[in-house]
Amino acid sequence: MDKNKVKQQLLRFCHDFVDHRVATASQAMVSAQQAANEEGKSSAGDKYETGRAMMQIERDQAAAQLSEALKLKKLLEGIDIERVTGRVALGSLVISKNMEIFLAIGIGKASIDGKEYLIVAPHSPLGKSLVNKGANDEFVIAGNVKTITNIL
């Protein structure tokens, strides 16, 4: 399969992953806000205030998750998969014997057309060990030394 097509599919996988996170966090915020709004004032005022405070905490947590997901979305929008520099950078597909790694966001394993890929962020330990490396350079993953055979 054409490696540029693989990179496009990997980037689409990342976008779908982030879009799902955005939708989930947005829905959680709406649900928490609705629950807070529907919380009826009871004769036990402390119970009412505690319930509203809990809903606000849930809403704030969902807002933080949404903010993080939107940052990832923006990062993905800046990836140019057509750019090939000969060095590992954001958007690179790193090829080594028995392993292919896409440098984008921290997702982990992904299967594209029945083949396994590892999608990692450049600030992750593995990503840091790959950034700026070239063909024939070595990196360590899970205690095993691997050699980069190609960078796309």
Side-chain angles (χ1 to χ4, degrees), residues 1-13:
M1 172 182 272
D2 176 23
K3 291 298 180 183
N4 271 345
K5 185 170 174 103
V6 169
K7 285 176 71 172
Q8 288 172 346
Q9 289 177 312
L10 287 164
L11 187 56
R12 169 66 12 227
F13 184 92

Side-chain angles (χ1 to χ4, degrees), residues 96-113:
S96 69
K97 187 178 179 183
N98 302 323
M99 178 176 275
E100 295 190 15
I101 304 165
F102 185 59
L103 205 65
I105 60 174
I107 293 179
K109 291 184 182 178
S111 181
I112 305 289
D113 293 333

Side-chain angles (χ1 to χ4, degrees), residues 2-125:
D2 176 23
K3 291 298 180 183
N4 271 345
K5 185 170 174 103
V6 169
K7 285 176 71 172
Q8 288 172 346
Q9 289 177 312
L10 287 164
L11 187 56
R12 169 66 12 227
F13 184 92
C14 292
H15 276 287
D16 291 346
F17 177 86
V18 170
D19 288 345
H20 178 73
R21 285 184 62 181
V22 167
T24 301
S26 294
Q27 182 55 45
M29 279 181 59
V30 168
S31 295
Q33 188 63 52
Q34 285 175 342
N37 292 343
E38 292 169 2
E39 182 76 19
K41 184 115 180 157
S42 70
S43 59
D46 287 347
K47 181 179 175 188
Y48 167 77
E49 293 302 324
T50 300
R52 285 194 53 90
M54 295 295 285
M55 301 302 172
Q56 185 62 39
I57 290 169
E58 285 182 33
R59 189 201 158 293
D60 291 349
Q61 288 173 340
Q65 290 171 354
L66 178 60
S67 176
E68 187 60 33
L70 291 173
K71 286 178 191 173
L72 292 176
K73 187 174 184 79
K74 186 172 180 147
L75 178 98
L76 289 175
E77 289 168 356
I79 293 178
D80 179 8
I81 59 172
E82 301 295 323
R83 190 182 75 165
V84 178
T85 64
R87 292 277 188 218
V88 178
L90 189 64
S92 294
L93 180 59
V94 179
I95 303 182
S96 69
K97 187 178 179 183
N98 302 323
M99 178 176 275
E100 295 190 15
I101 304 165
F102 185 59
L103 205 65
I105 60 174
I107 293 179
K109 291 184 182 178
S111 181
I112 305 289
D113 293 333
K115 183 169 169 109
E116 290 284 319
Y117 296 89
L118 191 59
I119 303 174
V120 300
H123 61 273
S124 69

